[in-house]
Amino acid sequence: MTKALSKSVPDDEVPGSVHTAKPVTDTSGHRPRERHRITYLGLILVGCFVLVPFLWMLIGSFKPTNELLGDQGKALLSSHFTVQNYVHLFKQYDYARYFANSALVAVVTALIATSISAFAGYALARFRFPGRGFAGFLILVTQMLPLIAVLIPLFIWFKSFNLIDTYSSLFIAYNAFAIPFSTWMLRGFFSELPLELEEAARVDGAGEFTIFFRIVLPISATGLMATAIFCFILAWQEFLFAITFISSGSKFTLTVGIAGMFGRDVVDWGLLDAGVVISTVPLAILFAVLQRFLVRGLTAGAVKG
Amino acid sequence: MAEVQYVEATRLYPGNPVAAVNRLNLDVADGEFMVLVGPSGSGKSTALRMLAGLEDVNEGEIRIGGNDVSQKPPKDRDIAMVFQNYALYPHMSVGENMGFALKLKGVGKEERAAKVLAAAKLLDLEKYLERKPKALSGGQRQRVAMGRAIVREPSVFLMDEPLSNLDAKLRVETRANIAALQARLGTTTLYVTHDQVEAMTMGDRVALLKDGILQQVDTPRNLYDRPGNAFVAGFIGSPAMNLVKVPVSDAGAQLGNLTVPLRAGTAAAVRAEGLKEIILGVRPESFTASESGNGLRVKANLVEELGADAFVYGELPGQKTIDTGDDGGAKPFVVRFDGRIPPKIGNEISLDVRTEETHAFHPDSGERIGD
């Protein structure tokens, strides 16, 4: 998640913030341009720093593993270009299955968490009720617990409910972590919306549900999208719960599947690279398509978050 | 069509002992255009929102058409509101914006379209019905907001500073259009503004509020000619009335070097109360250049030439002009001159006062004294 975020945010945000933070007062015409150059140079360096590991991974996935381990491994381009790693990935392992499992878990988490936290976030943003402040506080507190702290209790619970080795265990566990954060995020987003719109709808004769479904949700597409992406990523890259609660190979998610590729004696780096490349592709596409929403959604939520 | 009544209506915000709207009593007749005006924080918007059902009525009640609506939700009050920022639904087209309330009411598609079209014609919006609000200019958005209210044919229109986001020229145009439209539709209207020019030009009557308390309700003419207290006197009119605390004797009020005789009714009231001082109010246009040269002497510190008029800002030796606004600082003494013969800056001018146009207020309470 962090990798992906740091990749997309600087591109969009840094030039903008430089413009606004330092209004151009110099009228000679040279310095602003120079400043731009320095900004872009900095951005390119940061971009390289972030992107090179991805590039290395991509190149590695097309090299035979024996070459990766030898001197050739240091070369940028392979002398024996091969797609063998990808073929192995799907032949030796049930990689398509892992991929589908991850997609299932991530999509379900994104849908459920976003739906529930849209209601919760709206309630926290707009309604006055006893315990409102405390509810908000509790939601924050859950974010302070490290996953590992709740791992064993959750395992015991799930065991007593016969949920171990089911998708449901992951749906529940991921939503338990995704909902509080996305509630907080959407609460921030909703409280930034102009109240007048909801008042206008109220005067127009709308009840609370009509206001929520016909006014608030349609104008919150960016916030909802950003929240859904966040939840998707949270579930997509999660490892600890997945390896603890899931035992049968047919239910493995990508992270667990990739971890399984580390042999006891040998690590097939080429194979591993190929696996990671494939697991990154959906995120890269997601970001490329929805980047606009994400940056706006995150900042909209962040101002008062 | 309905009349609106505020009966001892009070709005208290939790944790604040001072009422935002304090025991407001106000009757608005059927079809009347009532303007609520006052400085910021006066409670005028709160009063309007109480009528809309967007703010609670903590004490007293508000009646529309004789029925107490204080505890009813906005949708059961048969009102339509125009908001300061228009509050158009950004994801709906102009037509959908205007028809939204009817849709919620369950009005059929064809009837709805017909009503929206009729309102759009009235406001010159037919061409824009398919557009989204963001593709409209400020003036057009304002008209859509009006249209959304008109389509519903409510018993009361509520307007909360609907012109404050328009540029000056458009504001003057729209001001006239709204007044004409209201006259034509004959719908009872409550209109909130902080702009006293809007208040004076649009309202059948004007209610002036300050700190949540109603100061005076009257026609614009009467508000101008017979302000009920010093605050009203200072708020209505631009430039504001000169209000000066002056000593009184049997001969009259001592304004600078000039003794201004009080009108009979005022003089009698001053004597009856045994007052030694009053607040004397004289509007800038109630002065004329003295031909004898024995008039009120004022030093011209600044001259503003506006074409037809010239406003002279000066000072009275030894006396201070009271500012009834919140800042309480000293204000210059203002005199209107004919724009073609303005005095020179730095010169001393001599003025006669039209006695019948002076106002007297109590030095402590600020209430009007006499007639």
Side-chain angles (χ1 to χ4, degrees):
Chain A
M1 183 200 101
T2 39
K3 270 184 284 182
L5 267 184
S6 57
K7 198 172 75 183
S8 85
V9 173
D11 291 354
D12 247 8
E13 265 195 348
V14 174
S17 58
V18 168
H19 286 306
T20 49
K22 294 174 187 166
V24 180
T25 46
D26 193 313
T27 47
S28 66
H30 288 288
R31 281 189 53 200
R33 186 162 288 217
E34 234 161 68
R35 193 176 283 158
H36 275 198
R37 277 202 199 121
I38 294 168
T39 305
Y40 283 118
L41 189 70
L43 283 175
I44 289 166
L45 283 176
V46 172
C48 288
F49 185 75
V50 173
L51 287 175
V52 161
F54 285 91
L55 188 69
W56 204 246
M57 181 179 87
L58 194 66
I59 294 168
S61 73
F62 291 107
K63 283 182 184 174
T65 292
N66 55 4
E67 190 179 306
L68 275 170
L69 294 172
D71 275 353
Q72 280 285 313
K74 294 175 200 152
L76 192 59
L77 293 176
S78 170
S79 44
H80 303 89
F81 178 85
T82 174
V83 292
Q84 209 48 44
N85 290 325
Y86 289 90
V87 176
H88 275 257
L89 196 62
F90 287 94
K91 272 199 174 155
Q92 286 177 15
Y93 297 89
D94 204 354
Y95 206 73
R97 186 72 197 235
Y98 303 161
F99 193 92
N101 287 339
S102 272
L104 174 76
V105 172
V107 168
V108 168
T109 304
L111 287 180
I112 295 181
T114 308
S115 315
I116 292 180
S117 47
F119 284 100
Y122 185 67
L124 285 175
R126 285 293 193 249
F127 297 119
R128 303 277 169 273
F129 53 89
R132 173 171 172 266
F134 187 64
F137 171 72
L138 270 189
I139 285 170
L140 264 191
V141 166
T142 60
Q143 293 301 298
M144 296 169 187
L145 292 177
L147 293 192
I148 194 86
V150 295
L151 187 65
I152 304 301
L154 267 183
F155 185 87
I156 295 169
W157 260 22
F158 284 160
K159 192 151 181 56
S160 61
F161 284 104
N162 285 326
L163 287 171
I164 293 300
D165 200 27
T166 62
Y167 289 124
S168 300
S169 65
L170 295 185
F171 297 159
I172 294 171
Y174 292 167
N175 272 300
F177 273 83
I179 289 170
F181 184 88
S182 27
T183 299
W184 203 251
M185 201 163 142
L186 282 174
R187 187 204 72 102
F189 185 85
F190 288 140
S191 52
E192 298 275 297
L193 293 178
L195 195 59
E196 279 194 346
L197 281 182
E198 290 153 62
E199 291 180 337
R202 199 157 289 146
V203 172
D204 266 348
E208 297 301 341
F209 279 96
T210 314
I211 293 174
F212 183 68
F213 284 111
R214 305 214 11 208
I215 306 293
V216 174
L217 285 189
I219 61 177
S220 303
T222 53
L224 295 170
M225 200 73 87
T227 309
I229 294 173
F230 170 81
C231 297
F232 183 92
I233 294 167
L234 187 105
W236 186 266
Q237 51 95 57
E238 206 285 332
F239 173 66
L240 197 59
F241 286 167
I243 201 165
T244 312
F245 301 146
I246 303 297
S247 46
S248 44
S250 67
K251 289 176 191 149
F252 278 176
T253 56
L254 280 174
T255 47
V256 179
I258 291 170
M261 292 175 194
F262 286 88
R264 205 176 65 183
D265 308 312
V266 195
V267 177
D268 189 343
W269 288 107
L271 188 73
L272 211 55
D273 278 344
V276 175
V277 165
I278 288 184
S279 77
T280 314
V281 166
L283 295 189
I285 293 174
L286 208 62
F287 272 96
V289 178
L290 303 174
Q291 192 196 50
R292 199 164 48 94
F293 291 105
L294 197 72
V295 172
R296 274 209 312 222
L298 278 178
T299 46
V303 176
K304 267 192 177 175
Chain B
M1 305 301 112
E3 70 277 7
V4 171
Q5 287 169 297
Y6 288 83
V7 185
E8 298 279 302
T10 300
R11 174 62 173 139
L12 287 157
Y13 285 110
N16 188 349
V18 183
V21 172
N22 199 346
R23 297 178 168 277
L24 176 62
N25 287 297
L26 182 64
D27 287 359
V28 186
D30 185 16
E32 188 174 14
F33 197 120
M34 172 69 81
V35 176
L36 303 180
V37 69
S40 42
S42 61
K44 56 191 190 299
S45 273
T46 310
L48 191 77
R49 291 165 56 83
M50 286 160 78
L51 176 60
L54 298 171
E55 296 278 350
D56 293 339
V57 180
N58 300 106
E59 283 164 34
E61 56 184 56
I62 292 177
R63 297 184 195 136
I64 297 176
N67 303 316
D68 180 12
V69 296
S70 333
Q71 305 307 323
K72 284 189 183 165
K75 65 184 166 103
D76 298 333
R77 297 187 181 202
D78 196 21
I79 45 146
M81 186 156 170
V82 179
F83 290 84
Q84 187 173 1
N85 300 319
Y86 318 138
L88 302 179
Y89 311 125
H91 57 298
M92 297 184 195
S93 69
V94 167
E96 286 167 337
N97 261 286
M98 287 167 66
F100 186 62
L102 296 179
K103 195 172 176 182
L104 293 180
K105 246 196 235 170
V107 175
K109 202 172 178 184
E110 277 167 30
E111 194 189 340
R112 212 160 68 211
K115 284 189 169 177
V116 168
L117 191 66
K121 274 188 182 151
L122 202 61
L123 293 161
D124 209 7
L125 285 169
E126 299 139 274
K127 279 179 291 185
Y128 309 112
L129 284 177
E130 300 304 317
R131 287 210 199 162
K132 291 275 168 65
K134 69 171 179 227
L136 299 178
S137 71
Q140 289 163 346
R141 286 179 203 181
Q142 205 284 329
R143 297 212 298 280
V144 176
M146 289 293 299
R148 193 165 63 178
I150 291 172
V151 164
R152 297 180 46 196
E153 298 167 10
S155 29
V156 188
F157 283 140
L158 314 184
M159 304 191 191
D160 191 358
E161 310 212 18
L163 303 183
S164 58
N165 283 344
L166 300 179
D167 64 57
K169 189 163 170 277
L170 198 54
R171 196 179 308 163
V172 174
E173 265 177 52
T174 315
R175 194 166 79 198
N177 289 342
I178 291 181
L181 193 66
Q182 193 272 342
R184 194 166 140 193
L185 298 171
T187 309
T188 313
T189 302
L190 274 86
Y191 184 106
V192 163
T193 180
H194 64 267
D195 180 350
Q196 50 116 354
V197 178
E198 276 177 33
M200 297 296 278
T201 54
M202 299 177 84
D204 292 326
R205 283 194 300 157
V206 177
L208 184 67
L209 284 93
K210 183 201 176 202
D211 300 333
I213 297 169
L214 182 64
Q215 304 290 314
Q216 191 173 358
V217 198
D218 217 325
T219 60
R221 182 83 261 158
N222 283 348
L223 219 51
Y224 191 80
D225 287 342
R226 282 187 46 84
N229 62 40
F231 177 77
V232 176
F235 190 84
I236 300 285
S238 175
M241 184 189 286
N242 299 297
L243 295 163
V244 188
K245 200 176 260 190
V246 296
V248 275
S249 62
D250 286 344
Q254 194 62 41
L255 180 67
N257 61 316
L258 193 69
T259 306
V260 183
L262 298 176
R263 281 173 301 181
T266 310
V270 168
R271 263 197 308 278
E273 285 210 46
L275 293 173
K276 295 270 175 278
E277 267 187 335
I278 58 164
I279 296 173
L280 185 71
V282 191
R283 291 205 181 273
E285 72 271 20
S286 300
F287 296 98
T288 45
S290 171
E291 280 165 18
S292 66
N294 296 329
L296 175 66
R297 283 196 294 276
V298 175
K299 193 174 164 231
N301 291 336
L302 177 72
V303 179
E304 250 180 22
E305 292 189 52
L306 303 176
D309 301 321
F311 290 106
V312 178
Y313 295 82
E315 57 190 304
L316 282 180
Q319 285 178 333
K320 272 190 188 143
T321 311
I322 298 166
D323 188 354
T324 52
D326 277 341
D327 42 3
K331 271 179 37 171
F333 193 84
V334 191
V335 178
R336 190 197 75 91
F337 259 74
D338 186 323
R340 295 197 168 71
I341 43 164
K344 286 213 165 53
I345 291 175
N347 280 7
E348 199 175 69
I349 50 180
S350 176
L351 302 162
D352 288 338
V353 179
R354 283 200 292 273
T355 321
E356 69 282 4
E357 290 175 19
T358 58
H359 308 262
F361 304 99
H362 194 281
D364 303 320
S365 67
E367 293 300 316
R368 187 180 186 84
I369 304 172
D371 52 353

